[in-house]
Amino acid sequence: AMAPDEITLDMIVETLEGKHPPLDCLDDPTACVLSEGCEQQQVWRGVEEAIQTVLKTTTVADLASRQRRRVGPIKTSAPN
């Protein structure tokens, strides 16, 4: 098992959903005949890179820590 500070959100998303860019042409430029001169593709590539940066640099421990700061300790059992 891995510690929460070793598990990135990217690892979770890739395991559950695989890699799915916002546009097919980001993985396969031949998917669209307009790819060569498409400015929209460049914008979406930047969006994809920003998303990947966040997912690759955020761990489960980071997320839990942020949640604790927001609402207090996370309860792991039902109240009596």
Side-chain angles (χ1 to χ4, degrees):
M2 295 174 68
D5 63 345
E6 297 174 339
I7 303 168
T8 65
L9 297 184
D10 176 62
M11 294 165 77
I12 295 169
V13 171
E14 187 172 343
T15 298
L16 295 175
E17 299 182 14
K19 292 265 186 199
H20 297 287
L23 297 175
D24 290 338
C25 62
L26 295 181
D27 271 347
D28 180 13
T30 63
C32 178
V33 297
L34 302 174
S35 283
E36 191 173 307
C38 181
E39 284 305 311
Q40 191 177 142
Q41 184 184 51
Q42 295 307 312
V43 170
W44 284 106
R45 187 173 307 283
V47 169
E48 174 68 6
E49 288 170 0
I51 290 169
Q52 288 303 314
T53 296
V54 171
L55 294 177
K56 287 178 181 182
T57 60
T58 305
T59 66
V60 170
D62 295 332
L63 209 51
S65 176
R66 291 171 67 168
Q67 186 68 30
R68 279 191 298 276
R69 284 195 306 269
R70 179 179 282 264
V71 297
I74 298 170
K75 295 182 178 159
T76 58
S77 61
N80 294 330

